[in-house]
Amino acid sequence: MTRRSLGLFWVLVSLLVFLLGHPSTLALGFGKESIADTQISADLVFPDYLERDGIIHNYEQQVRQSPDSFLLLRLLADHYLKRFRERADVEDLLRAEQAARRSLALQPRHNEGASMLLASTLLSQHRFQEALQVVTDAEKLTATDQLASLKASIQMELGDYESAHQFLQTLTSESEDNSGHNAVLARYLELTSHLSVARQQMDSAMQQMDEFYTNPAETRAWFHVRAGDLSFLAGDLARSEQRYREAITLFPHDVAAFTGLARLYAAQHRWQASLEAANQGIEWVPLVETLAYKADAQQALGDSSGAAATQDLIEVVARLSQVKGIYDRALAVYYSEHGVHLPEALEIAQREVAIRDDIYAEDTLAWAAAANGQWQTAQRATRQATRYGTEDPLLRFHRGMIALHSGDRETAIQQLSEALRLNPQFHHKYAAEARQVLADLSPTKVES
């Protein structure tokens, strides 16, 4: 891989840290390796995040001395974006956007790295169409596999899975050795009902990242978190826990990993462990989703006053975090699941669909509409959310329960059974509810 290609690769990987018709065949070149059994030792981690402030300070000084250097501005944008990933400070995201724009203004051609950085900052602000336009413009100047992978990622965020599939098929065989490309491919496979192969693909990408000690710790951790998420969907809870813990070994501030553990432990009704994991994540960044698991754990442990205080904090964080809608979806999910602020949950979900009509925006809308008693909207949205057969038990549960309310007994049994088949412990409350509904409808359909 050339130095130029290596730079573009890191920008694509940085983007993927943000992210996350049913084709009959997939000519995409995925591997057939078995699920890896990787273990991470702390002495094999390069703690670059500890030096981030110093690196940024150095580049800021150099940019002041050489304000017309497109390369220095691009490098500075890259490190601002890395620090945003590590600390979730939106100001760093805006700094990265400004530096990337300045780099492109100075060097519009042969500067794909700056285009990809700019697209990544826009994606993180949920400015999806702007991000897509940036990549499309860059492709007109220089078409590369990295830009194609990035475009496919953006198209999946927008719900255009057919176009994403077409772009993934155009990539060269060299891309198969690129962990960033493999992660994009794993996401596509996950969303289009190929969960088992997606797990294989993601583990392959994770192993590629772990081969080099100097790869950024937070980025390496992201690959482990994604592998953990896919394992959870498949009901492989032991492997999921392992992956999340590996991510924390790599990057001790990894809020996504702590949130994943809090969800996993809640699903197992290991409430004290869930509370501890949520608290550790909140210590770094108080996300709505992580706080929600804390509140649920406190309630389950009998700490009603603590749960109420956490719920109040969620409201504060929600108000402070709604910078250009970045955290809207998580808030709509929380409101819908807990039966609070339901009209606002529906409004948020509708806004999400307008911004990016992907599978999970439709699912959020379906459940929010159901919570508000708008069953026709719920039926339409849940059919859209499951139209590719995505093997996510929560999507299947939502469709099953909406079908049940609509009098479609057959679909309800089919979808609820599939949710439990995928992961018998997919949710701390809904898994038991699915079992009870199936027992009432058809006892022979209940999974053990």
Side-chain angles (χ1 to χ4, degrees), residues 397 400-401 404 409-421 426 431-448:
F397 172 77
M401 295 302 290
L404 178 67
R409 175 192 176 100
E410 182 179 352
T411 298
I413 291 174
Q414 177 191 48
Q415 294 295 323
L416 296 176
S417 298
E418 180 64 8
L420 292 171
R421 183 195 67 78
F426 69 89
E433 187 174 346
R435 284 191 184 83
Q436 184 59 57
V437 170
L438 282 173
D440 293 341
L441 292 175
S442 178
T444 61
K445 297 289 184 181
V446 181
E447 295 283 336
S448 59

Side-chain angles (χ1 to χ4, degrees), residues 372-394:
N372 280 273
Q374 297 191 16
W375 293 102
Q376 288 187 341
T377 299
Q379 289 177 54
R380 182 204 62 78
T382 195
R383 284 195 294 268
Q384 281 292 102
T386 55
R387 68 190 185 276
Y388 296 107
T390 306
E391 295 176 284
D392 184 326
L394 196 56

Side-chain angles (χ1 to χ4, degrees), residues 313-421:
L313 182 57
I314 289 172
E315 298 297 332
V316 173
V317 169
R319 287 193 293 271
L320 295 176
S321 298
Q322 287 178 6
V323 178
K324 298 185 179 180
I326 291 176
Y327 299 109
D328 270 0
R329 182 181 291 179
L331 188 60
V333 170
Y334 171 75
Y335 286 163
S336 299
E337 287 200 351
H338 292 79
V340 297
H341 306 305
L342 295 180
E344 186 176 352
L346 183 57
E347 179 185 343
I348 291 170
Q350 290 169 331
R351 187 164 62 240
E352 272 283 291
V353 168
I355 293 172
R356 54 168 171 173
D357 191 12
D358 71 327
I359 283 172
Y360 287 99
E362 291 286 356
D363 179 62
T364 302
L365 175 59
W367 206 232
N372 280 273
Q374 297 191 16
W375 293 102
Q376 288 187 341
T377 299
Q379 289 177 54
R380 182 204 62 78
T382 195
R383 284 195 294 268
Q384 281 292 102
T386 55
R387 68 190 185 276
Y388 296 107
T390 306
E391 295 176 284
D392 184 326
L394 196 56
L395 297 186
R396 300 305 185 94
F397 172 77
H398 289 162
R399 181 163 185 185
M401 295 302 290
I402 292 168
L404 178 67
H405 189 277
S406 304
D408 186 350
R409 175 192 176 100
E410 182 179 352
T411 298
I413 291 174
Q414 177 191 48
Q415 294 295 323
L416 296 176
S417 298
E418 180 64 8
L420 292 171
R421 183 195 67 78

Side-chain angles (χ1 to χ4, degrees), residues 93-109:
L93 188 60
L94 301 179
R95 293 183 188 105
E97 179 187 350
Q98 182 185 40
R101 287 191 185 279
R102 288 174 60 191
S103 177
L104 280 171
L106 289 165
Q107 181 68 38
R109 292 182 174 272

Side-chain angles (χ1 to χ4, degrees), residues 271-285:
W271 292 113
Q272 188 61 44
S274 181
L275 177 61
E276 291 170 2
N279 278 333
Q280 287 177 286
I282 292 163
E283 182 179 344
W284 300 112
V285 182

Side-chain angles (χ1 to χ4, degrees), residues 115-136:
S115 295
M116 294 174 73
L117 283 164
L118 177 57
S120 183
T121 66
L122 295 171
L123 276 172
S124 295
Q125 297 173 68
H126 286 198
R127 293 157 64 183
F128 300 101
Q129 292 293 346
E130 291 180 64
L132 183 60
Q133 188 60 55
V134 167
V135 176
T136 300

Side-chain angles (χ1 to χ4, degrees), residues 165-187:
H165 179 224
Q166 292 172 9
F167 268 95
L168 289 170
Q169 287 187 309
T170 67
L171 300 181
T172 67
S173 59
E174 292 180 1
S175 294
E176 296 176 17
D177 296 324
N178 182 311
S179 56
H181 162 72
N182 287 337
V184 175
L185 177 54
R187 179 62 170 170

Side-chain angles (χ1 to χ4, degrees), residues 131-149:
L132 183 60
Q133 188 60 55
V134 167
V135 176
T136 300
D137 290 344
E139 281 189 314
K140 293 175 183 176
L141 299 174
T142 308
T144 66
D145 283 358
Q146 287 86 357
L147 284 169
S149 289

